[in-house]
Structure formats: structure tokens, C-alpha cells
Amino acid sequence: MSNEVPAEWSLLTYRVLRSAGWYPGRSVPLDRYESLLEEYSELEIHEAARRFLGEFAGLATDTWTPGPLMPQSPFRFTPCDVDAGREACAEIREVFIRMSESAGTRLYPIGCVDKGASYLGMAADGSVYVGNGSVELLAQDAYEALDKLAVERRTDAPLPFVLVGDHLELPADFGATPGPDGVPRWSPEAERVLRLAGWQPGRAVPVDAWERMMREADEGYVMHEAARRFLSEFGGLEVHQKGPGMNAARSPFRLDPLLAKRDFEIIESLSEDAEVDLYPLGDLSQGNFYVAMAEDGAVYVGMDDVELLAETADEALDKLVRGIR
């Protein structure tokens, strides 16, 4: 398989598409889409749309948590929902009648941006338009359109990312909460994700019930002071995320020690392997790993085996959010 970046694409575009599931030579069947739209919308696919969708149909970034590979305009390349009925297809037909009138040429749906707020339509000559009713020309051909969706802020992206080299970053004025030393506790991205999950400076929740229920589940569970401080600030938070991270997949995580209350033997085994006393904080990747803390505040992850995630809680949270292992 070739790893050569197409000449029309930036390195960011290539990384976004590869992370979304594209690869050279990709080919997907289109019969279901074509038959639905032709039967219910009277929209007939043209050859340019067939070539594009045959290579890119099904790719999507609009469910990714914003991160270093997030395109400026999150997209979904499907002409319609595979389970769409007559009514949904009729709505697509009405939208694309208006879009085609605005463009002055017949457009076929190839996807959407901004979670469906705007549609992508392709003309028979391969040019791509974006809009919802009225349209604007996005690009003269499909590969140029893909690069613009990845690199240029064509639509309302989830965050005001700026291109830095071959990746996207939050702007410098999107700050993070400073610690006691005045240095930001974590990255601006972690700040945003944690705030959306319900954290705020000064957050404090009671931990007595967790401590009591864990001891009732197994006498071996003794909450140490580092875990108590962490759970008081972050306990109960859930972060739902997916997509590529800095060097690992971005996975959802939950900060609730009760998730491990029936697994004392596993936590005990992880403690033995780490050679420290670990107390569970929650889980990672939908229960595939536990997140636990040592008495010195270091954070570990594991299930069958254990690894040190970070020396401090703040660094661990930043790594969990940004997909760093």
C-alpha cells in the first residue's frame, strides 16, 4: 500500500483521511445509496459522483473529538442515510433542487459538513459545492475539495483551530487554568474537554460515599489521600470522545471508583506489578482498562498488565484527553 501523499493534498489532509479509514485503492459498493435516492428522490447518480463516493463513501470526522487531526470543516461522506425512508429522501430531493438551481447545474449529494447543517453536492464535471439551498463553489474537483475541508475554515468548525505546520492547534489566546505556580495545568484542549464534562476551577464533590461503598465491596480498598484529593475535584466526570490522538486513539474515560468495586483482585495485581499501592479512579476505553492512582499521585492504567501514564494527575488528564500514551 502506498504512503505517498497525493499532490493535491496537504500532509494534514492525508493524515485526516487515513485516520478516517481511507487508503489508496479503497472501493465501496454504492447500490444501497443509489437505489434509495433514485426511488424516493428521483436523483440519478452521475459518473463523477460515482467515482468519488466509490472511494470515499462512509468516511466521517464529524463525531471526532476536536484534536490535532481534526479537519477545519468536519465532514461525513454519505449521500443519504442507508436506512432513509421516503420522507427523508424527499427532503434531500427538495434541498438539492434548490442547491442545483443556485449552482446553475445539477448536483448530486455526496455528504454533509457541520453535522448536517450544510450539504456537499457534486456536479457532473466533478466540481463540489457546499450549502443548504443557496450554495457556493467549494472546489473545481474532489481532491481539492477534500484539502479545503481539512485545511481551510470553510464552515463552522467546533473550535477555532489554526494550522501550524502539518497539524492544527488551538490559538494561543484559548487559555488553560493556571496552577499554583502560574503555569497552565494542562493544554487548552484538555481545559475545553474537561469543562464540557462538568469540571470547573474549585470543583469539590463529596467522596465519603465512594470510600464507604468501596470498603464494603472489599476491605482491601483503602482510599489514600492522593486519590481522595483527585476524586474530590474530578470524581463523577465522564468524557465521551473518539478519533485519533497525538500518538494513540482518543478513548472515552469515566472517573468513578465504583466501576472497579468488584475487581479488587485485578487492582491488587496491578499494584503488585507496579510495586505501589494503587487505588482505582475509574476506567478507560469503555472498561477495557482501569485508571488508578498511587499514593504519590502518579497515575497508572492497566487490566492484564500495568503501565505508568503520568507522574501527576494533571498530566494524566491531559494525556487521556489528547490521546497520548
Side-chain angles (χ1 to χ4, degrees):
M1 182 182 299
S2 173
N3 288 318
E4 184 177 347
V5 179
E8 299 88 343
W9 291 351
S10 66
L11 180 57
L12 172 64
T13 303
Y14 177 76
R15 292 172 65 196
V16 165
L17 289 169
R18 288 301 297 266
S19 295
W22 174 84
Y23 51 87
R26 184 175 185 266
S27 178
V28 296
L30 303 178
D31 295 347
R32 183 70 180 275
Y33 299 124
E34 288 187 43
S35 59
L36 276 173
L37 289 175
E38 189 168 349
E39 179 178 0
Y40 294 142
S41 302
E42 300 178 2
L43 293 173
E44 294 185 10
I45 194 169
H46 49 65
E47 189 56 35
R50 181 176 286 112
R51 287 195 303 271
F52 176 84
L53 291 168
E55 184 174 359
F56 298 103
L59 302 184
T61 64
D62 58 358
T63 60
W64 288 3
T65 303
L69 289 184
M70 194 74 180
Q72 291 284 37
S73 299
F75 57 76
R76 177 173 295 274
F77 294 138
T78 51
C80 66
D81 192 315
V82 293
D83 297 316
R86 184 184 299 274
E87 184 176 339
C89 289
E91 291 179 5
I92 294 174
R93 178 177 183 273
E94 292 303 314
V95 169
F96 272 83
I97 286 176
R98 297 195 302 271
M99 289 178 64
S100 296
E101 289 175 350
S102 176
T105 186
R106 183 170 70 90
L107 301 178
Y108 189 84
I110 60 171
C112 60
V113 292
D114 293 341
K115 298 184 182 297
S118 297
Y119 291 90
L120 296 168
M122 179 171 282
D125 64 0
S127 56
V128 179
Y129 293 78
V130 61
N132 191 336
S134 62
V135 300
E136 64 173 295
L137 178 66
L138 178 63
Q140 293 290 348
D141 62 66
Y143 268 36
E144 181 188 358
L146 290 167
D147 198 55
K148 287 191 172 184
L149 290 173
V151 175
E152 296 183 11
R153 190 170 170 78
R154 303 291 302 186
T155 57
D156 293 330
L159 279 178
F161 289 112
V162 293
L163 185 63
V164 178
D166 64 353
H167 65 283
L168 297 175
E169 292 183 1
L170 287 166
D173 58 358
F174 191 92
T177 300
D181 57 0
V183 176
R185 296 181 63 180
W186 38 57
S187 66
E189 183 183 344
E191 176 89 12
R192 175 188 180 275
V193 170
L194 290 172
R195 283 182 178 268
L196 288 176
W199 175 84
Q200 59 185 5
R203 182 178 186 267
V205 297
V207 300
D208 294 348
W210 282 324
E211 187 171 9
R212 173 178 53 79
M213 294 172 72
M214 293 295 282
R215 287 299 297 270
E216 290 174 352
D218 195 291
E219 286 293 323
Y221 279 131
V222 179
M223 184 182 292
H224 49 66
E225 188 56 33
R228 183 174 289 107
R229 287 195 303 269
F230 178 90
L231 290 170
S232 176
E233 183 174 5
F234 302 103
L237 299 184
E238 295 188 12
V239 172
H240 304 283
Q241 61 178 4
K242 62 193 307 185
M246 295 297 291
N247 64 3
R250 300 158 65 89
S251 301
F253 59 91
R254 300 175 292 179
L255 300 176
D256 181 347
L258 297 181
L259 296 168
K261 71 177 183 178
R262 292 187 174 86
D263 283 337
F264 175 75
E265 291 183 358
I266 293 177
I267 300 300
E268 184 178 41
S269 175
L270 296 178
S271 297
E272 292 175 355
D273 290 347
E275 299 182 345
V276 292
D277 178 24
L278 295 177
Y279 191 87
L281 305 176
D283 70 6
L284 170 67
S285 189
Q286 299 176 322
N288 288 320
F289 302 95
Y290 282 125
V291 181
M293 178 172 279
E295 292 182 275
D296 64 357
V299 178
Y300 292 75
V301 295
M303 184 63 75
D304 296 325
D305 50 27
V306 69
E307 66 174 284
L308 175 66
L309 178 64
E311 296 286 353
T312 67
D314 288 356
E315 182 187 1
L317 288 168
D318 192 72
K319 286 185 172 184
L320 288 172
V321 168
R322 299 170 67 200
I324 301 174
R325 293 291 290 274

